[in-house]
């Protein structure tokens, strides 16, 4: 770094936004407004009134760059390059209604996310998990179970370390709870996810509040909170729920002198209330924030300027165009998915037919093998029957010879009679066996006939399968076909799938797309329907948050609960929220609230 010399005409500047770093050469005579406008033009930001340039002065205090003064004349460290940070300085009352540009919304989202992670904003654990799921959707797009694997998320990028430290839960357990809600956000674009994130953050007690340590006349340590709606007074140990609130509509003007900061109410009968700070420079910062927030408060209650009207009209037209484009893409996606499902169905049917043909061929082969076996068995049986018949004939001849020999002598006769009886018995047995073999041969012939008939039926069935037409894309494959030319379906699936490819569209198709009046009316009805659905979704969301809170409460480490955690839980048990507390702190007259402030 080198000191800035008054002789040089320009000096280098580095400006950090939440997602970029820029370097400029700025003239010595350039004002803060000129540098600020240069940054806004570079990042394409038109809603510049929410933002400011922040820097560390020579005493390392964080201050905002004054737009009306020259940059070089302010208490910027006289070293270059000079470092500035482009941050949100003034917060809107309702981000969804007031923020118009997507670029503005993105910067709000990045800063809110950083403030949650850095503990600058208290966020209850269940809300932190839900916010993390929207942040994951904004970064990675739709959840895909085929791509997403456990351990994909770096939890420190999405979940405050304070939350993870307070529960006996592993990284896998936290990731599982984030993934469950992340899977519910399918179809949500990046800007929609960021807006849902901001809607939740906007309802947190500390969002949009600039805190300053102050004292009252009784020297009680308090906090002053400067917000888009007015001034809040907090007790020293409680930055969540203000004790008193003074809306901008009740503040006539503010001024500072040394360490005293004076607020004059619109009600002239009410006394001024004086705030005492430790550093006179803090009073100037408070005064600057009060002035800017009051101006925006009044501006929101007047008709929109031409610039804002133009931006809103362009944003509305862009939103309608993107909604129509998203609807068209969704329809194309559904058609493509339907075509893919039909293709899978056809492939399954083809696979089924191929399996049936394989089984039929297998059955035919088994039938042929069975027929061959039966033929062989018939031949063996016939040979055995012929052999037995031959043996029977030989036995008969032997019997005749024995009869002749029996006549030779009585002894031989008896012997022959005995042998004859034995031979007769053997012959009878052989004849019976021969008859049985003949019958078995006849039975096997019948079985062979039936097997041949089964073989013929199997062949006929195979011919029938082969007569089913073949897919046009596979005319030479010997498998069961799906349909023939004469029975072709009315839609060519292959050509439909080819036609559904998004990359085949002309690149300038969307740029030349004209919004039809009837489609605009349809979208208007759809937007109204989405509002009703949003209310129902909010109710369901609160139930989910309650469920998650009950689920993780049993894993809570009581020793690590902060004062803010205890205050938040007590606040919830009383059925209070940020807005009900503000309404309560505005009750009573200005005079009464000033008196209450002095007695704190």
């Amino acid at each position: 770094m080198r000191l800035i010399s008054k002789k040089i005409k320009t000096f280098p500047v580095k400006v950090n936004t939440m997602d970029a770093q820029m370097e400029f050469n700025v003239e010595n005579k350039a004002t803060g407004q000129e540098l600020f406008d240069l940054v806004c033009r570079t990042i394409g930001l038109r809603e510049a009134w929410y933002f400011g340039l922040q820097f560390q002065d020579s005493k390392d205090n964080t201050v905002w760059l004054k737009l009306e003064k020259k940059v070089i004349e302010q208490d910027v460290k006289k070293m270059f390059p000079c470092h500035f940070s482009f941050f949100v300085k003034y917060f809107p009352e309702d981000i969804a209604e007031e923020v118009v540009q997507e670029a503005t919304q993105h910067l709000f989202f990045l800063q809110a996310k950083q403030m949650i992670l850095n503990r600058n904003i208290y966020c209850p654990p269940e809300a932190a998990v839900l916010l993390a799921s929207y942040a994951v959707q904004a970064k990675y797009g739709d959840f895909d179970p085929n791509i997403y694997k456990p351990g994909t998320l770096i939890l420190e990028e999405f979940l405050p370390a304070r939350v993870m430290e307070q529960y006996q839960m592993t990284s896998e357990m936290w990731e599982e709870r984030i993934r469950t809600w992340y899977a519910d956000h399918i179809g949500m674009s990046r800007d929609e996810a960021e807006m849902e994130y901001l809607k939740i953050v906007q309802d947190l007690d500390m969002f949009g509040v600039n805190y300053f340590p102050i004292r009252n006349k009784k020297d009680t340590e308090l906090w002053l909170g400067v917000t888009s709606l007015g001034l809040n007074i907090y007790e020293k140990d409680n930055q969540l729920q203000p004790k008193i609130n003074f809306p901008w509509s009740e503040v006539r003007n503010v001024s500072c002198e040394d360490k005293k900061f004076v607020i004059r109410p619109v009600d002239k009968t009410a006394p001024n209330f004086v705030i005492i700070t430790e550093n006179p420079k803090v009073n100037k910062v408070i005064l600057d924030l009060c002035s800017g927030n009051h101006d925006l408060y009044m501006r929101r209650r007047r008709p929109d300027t031409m610039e804002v009207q133009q931006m809103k009209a362009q944003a509305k037209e862009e939103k309608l165009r993107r909604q129509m484009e998203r609807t068209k893409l969704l329809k194309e996606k559904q058609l493509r998915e339907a075509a893919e499902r039909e293709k899978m169905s056809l492939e399954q049917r083809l696979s089924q037919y191929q399996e049936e043909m394989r089984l039929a061929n297998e059955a035919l082969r088994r039938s042929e093998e069975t027929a061959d076996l039966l033929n062989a068995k018939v031949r063996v049986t016939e040979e055995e029957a012929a052999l037995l018949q031959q043996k029977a004939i030989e036995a008969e001849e032997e019997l005749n010879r024995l009869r002749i020999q029996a006549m030779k002598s009585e002894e031989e006769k008896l012997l022959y009679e005995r042998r004859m009886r034995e031979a007769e018995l053997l012959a009878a047995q052989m004849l019976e066996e021969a008859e049985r073999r003949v019958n078995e041969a006849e039975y096997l012939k019948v079985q062979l006939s039936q097997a041949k008939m089964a073989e013929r039926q199997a062949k006929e069935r195979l011919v029938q399968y082969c007569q089913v037409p073949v897919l046009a894309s596979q005319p030479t494959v010997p498998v069961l076909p799906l349909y023939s030319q004469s029975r072709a379906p009315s839609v060519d699936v292959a050509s439909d799938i080819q036609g559904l490819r998004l990359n085949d569209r002309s690149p300038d198709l969307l740029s030349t797309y004209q919004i039809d009046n009837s489609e605009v009316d349809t979208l208007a009805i759809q937007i109204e329907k989405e509002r009703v659905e949003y209310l129902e979704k909010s109710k369901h969301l609160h139930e989910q948050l309650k469920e998650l809170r009950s689920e993780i409460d049993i894993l809570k480490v009581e020793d690590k609960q902060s004062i803010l955690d205890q205050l938040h839980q007590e606040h919830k048990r009383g059925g209070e929220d940020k807005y009900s507390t503000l309404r309560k702190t505005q009750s009573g007259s200005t005079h009464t609230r000033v008196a209450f402030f002095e007695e704190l």
Side-chain angles (χ1 to χ4, degrees):
M1 290 188 179
R2 290 181 293 170
L3 292 172
I4 297 176
S5 172
K6 293 184 179 180
K7 295 181 180 180
I8 62 174
K9 294 183 179 180
T10 62
F11 62 96
V13 170
K14 279 189 177 181
V15 179
N16 293 321
T17 68
M18 293 303 299
D19 61 349
Q21 185 181 82
M22 295 167 286
E23 296 184 5
F24 306 102
N25 280 322
V26 180
E27 293 184 358
N28 280 351
K29 62 180 181 180
T31 63
Q33 184 70 56
E34 290 173 335
L35 175 59
F36 181 76
D37 291 342
L38 178 60
V39 174
C40 291
R41 285 197 304 272
T42 303
I43 62 177
L45 184 72
R46 295 179 65 184
E47 295 175 280
W49 47 85
Y50 294 118
F51 299 88
L53 288 171
Q54 204 175 75
F55 66 95
Q56 301 291 320
D57 65 12
S58 57
K59 296 182 179 180
D60 288 330
N61 296 315
T62 301
V63 294
W64 294 97
L65 185 69
K66 293 181 174 61
L67 301 183
E68 68 280 1
K69 292 181 64 177
K70 291 182 180 179
V71 175
I72 203 71
E73 292 178 355
Q74 302 188 45
D75 193 12
V76 180
K77 292 180 180 180
K78 300 302 186 285
M79 308 287 286
F80 63 84
C82 297
H83 289 269
F84 296 92
S85 296
F86 189 80
F87 286 144
V88 175
K89 186 177 181 180
Y90 306 109
F91 292 86
E93 295 177 29
D94 188 336
I95 292 178
E97 290 295 326
E98 296 175 39
V99 174
V100 179
Q101 279 191 302
E102 187 177 332
T104 310
Q105 174 188 299
H106 185 59
L107 289 174
F108 267 97
F109 164 75
L110 293 176
Q111 185 163 331
K113 179 170 170 283
Q114 194 63 37
M115 293 173 76
I116 293 288
L117 295 177
N118 290 346
R119 309 184 185 188
N120 295 328
I121 297 177
Y122 172 78
C123 180
E126 64 276 9
V129 174
L130 178 58
L131 289 173
S133 69
Y134 283 120
V136 173
Q137 177 72 22
K139 183 173 182 178
Y140 295 109
D142 285 346
F143 173 78
D144 188 341
N146 298 320
I147 298 176
Y148 183 92
K149 303 298 179 186
T152 300
L153 300 182
I154 301 174
L155 292 180
E156 290 75 15
E157 292 183 5
F158 303 100
L159 206 59
R162 174 190 62 82
V163 171
M164 292 188 284
E165 292 168 356
Q166 291 178 342
Y167 293 85
Q168 294 177 335
M169 294 173 62
T170 63
S171 298
E172 291 76 16
M173 295 168 71
W174 285 115
E175 184 177 359
E176 173 63 24
R177 280 154 180 81
I178 293 173
R179 183 173 62 85
T180 299
W181 283 12
Y182 171 36
D184 287 340
H185 303 331
I186 290 178
M188 190 177 291
S189 63
R190 190 195 79 167
D191 60 304
E192 289 173 333
E194 290 181 351
M195 180 53 72
E196 292 300 322
Y197 187 102
L198 289 171
K199 286 178 182 177
I200 295 170
V201 174
Q202 183 176 250
D203 292 338
L204 299 179
D205 294 292
M206 296 178 69
F207 179 74
V209 183
N210 289 286
Y211 293 93
F212 300 93
I214 61 168
R215 297 174 185 269
N216 60 7
K217 290 181 180 178
K218 293 179 66 176
D219 206 32
T220 305
E221 293 185 356
L222 301 167
W223 289 101
L224 171 68
V226 182
T227 75
S228 61
L229 294 172
L231 299 171
N232 297 338
I233 305 297
Y234 299 85
E235 291 180 319
K236 181 64 177 178
D237 296 328
N238 187 351
Q239 289 183 303
L240 293 184
Q241 294 90 38
K243 299 295 290 184
I244 315 169
N245 170 260
F246 296 95
W248 294 119
S249 58
E250 294 183 8
V251 178
R252 179 159 47 98
N253 60 52
V254 292
S255 62
C256 61
E257 181 180 351
D258 195 23
K259 294 183 179 181
K260 291 183 179 181
F261 190 87
V262 182
I263 300 171
R264 295 177 178 81
V266 172
D267 183 2
K268 294 184 180 180
T269 62
N272 300 336
F273 63 101
V274 179
I275 293 171
I276 302 172
T277 62
E278 296 295 331
N279 188 342
K281 286 190 174 182
V282 173
N283 280 341
K284 294 181 180 180
V285 175
I286 296 174
L287 182 62
D288 182 32
L289 288 173
C290 287
S291 176
N293 275 296
H294 183 270
D295 288 345
L296 287 177
Y297 179 87
M298 300 305 296
R299 175 177 176 171
R300 285 190 288 269
R301 281 147 183 81
R302 293 193 294 264
D304 291 335
T305 62
M306 289 299 296
E307 181 185 9
V308 174
Q309 291 179 29
Q310 181 186 19
M311 282 194 295
K312 286 185 176 181
Q314 290 175 350
K316 185 177 180 181
E317 183 179 345
E318 178 66 17
K319 184 177 180 180
L320 286 172
R321 187 189 66 78
R322 282 190 296 182
Q323 182 69 25
M324 294 174 69
E325 179 184 343
R326 194 176 297 121
T327 302
K328 184 177 179 181
L329 290 175
L330 181 60
K331 287 181 180 178
E332 291 179 351
K333 182 180 178 182
Q334 290 171 347
L335 289 173
R336 185 171 62 252
E337 290 174 351
E340 289 174 354
R341 287 194 298 270
E342 180 66 20
K343 180 182 178 182
M344 290 178 62
S345 175
L346 292 175
E347 289 175 349
Q348 289 175 355
R349 287 170 58 191
L350 173 61
S351 177
Q352 182 181 354
Y353 287 149
Q354 289 174 337
E355 180 64 17
E356 289 180 359
M357 187 178 71
R358 187 188 65 79
L359 293 175
N361 285 329
E362 184 69 20
L364 176 62
R365 185 183 61 77
R366 286 197 300 269
S367 297
E368 291 173 347
E369 291 176 354
T370 303
D372 292 341
L373 290 174
L374 289 174
N375 280 328
K377 195 170 183 179
V378 166
R379 287 194 300 272
V380 172
T381 304
E382 287 176 346
E383 290 174 359
E384 288 179 349
L387 182 60
L388 289 172
Q389 286 178 354
Q390 181 64 32
K391 287 183 178 181
I393 293 172
E394 291 175 356
E396 184 69 26
E397 290 175 352
E398 181 68 17
L399 178 62
N400 290 333
R401 285 194 302 273
L402 290 173
R403 283 175 180 174
I404 295 172
Q405 291 178 2
M407 295 168 59
K408 293 180 180 179
S409 65
E410 189 64 27
E411 292 179 358
E412 290 180 350
K413 180 179 178 182
L414 294 174
L415 181 60
Y416 286 152
E417 285 179 355
R418 181 171 58 81
R419 289 181 178 178
M420 184 177 66
R421 285 194 298 272
E422 291 176 354
E424 286 177 348
L425 179 60
L426 180 60
Q429 290 176 351
M430 287 184 177
L431 286 172
E432 184 180 350
E433 180 66 18
E435 185 178 354
R436 187 181 66 78
R437 292 290 184 174
V438 170
N439 291 336
E440 185 177 351
E442 291 297 328
Y443 173 75
L444 290 175
K445 286 180 180 180
V446 173
Q447 290 292 315
L448 177 60
S449 176
Q450 291 177 352
K452 288 181 177 180
M453 184 178 296
E455 178 182 356
R456 185 167 57 255
Q457 290 176 350
K459 288 181 178 180
E460 290 175 356
R461 185 180 177 189
L462 182 61
V463 170
Q464 290 177 358
Y465 277 122
C466 292
Q467 287 176 352
V468 179
V470 183
L471 284 171
S473 61
Q474 298 177 342
T476 62
V477 179
V479 295
L480 284 179
L482 295 180
Y483 47 78
S484 65
Q485 184 67 25
S486 60
R487 297 172 58 194
S490 59
V491 178
D492 188 343
V493 174
S495 63
D496 285 348
I497 295 173
Q498 183 68 19
L500 289 174
R501 292 180 180 169
L502 298 178
N503 294 334
D504 292 341
R505 296 183 299 168
S506 175
D508 60 343
L509 177 61
L510 293 178
S511 62
T512 57
Y513 186 85
Q514 299 297 322
I515 299 178
D516 186 81
N517 288 334
S518 61
E519 291 178 337
V520 172
D521 294 339
T522 303
L523 283 173
I525 296 172
Q526 185 175 352
I527 291 171
E528 185 62 29
K529 182 181 177 182
E530 286 176 355
R531 288 182 181 177
V532 177
E533 290 176 350
Y534 177 74
L535 294 176
E536 295 176 355
K537 181 182 176 182
S538 297
K539 184 178 179 182
H540 178 63
L541 192 60
H542 283 296
E543 293 174 355
Q544 283 184 305
L545 287 170
K546 188 176 179 181
E547 246 178 63
L548 178 61
R549 185 166 60 248
S550 302
E551 181 183 345
I552 64 177
D553 265 351
I554 59 176
L555 301 171
K556 183 165 56 179
V557 180
E558 293 294 339
D559 294 343
K560 293 189 177 181
Q561 298 297 301
S562 66
I563 294 177
L564 292 179
D565 289 308
Q566 297 169 7
L567 289 171
H568 174 74
Q569 291 166 15
E570 183 181 345
H571 199 49
K572 284 296 180 184
R573 283 194 292 270
E576 297 288 339
D577 60 19
K578 175 180 180 179
Y579 304 104
S580 63
T581 302
L582 285 177
R583 288 193 296 270
K584 187 184 297 184
T585 56
Q586 290 175 4
S587 61
S589 64
T590 307
H591 191 285
T592 304
R593 276 175 279 143
V594 172
F596 183 68
F597 166 72
E598 298 296 347
E599 292 300 321
L600 283 174

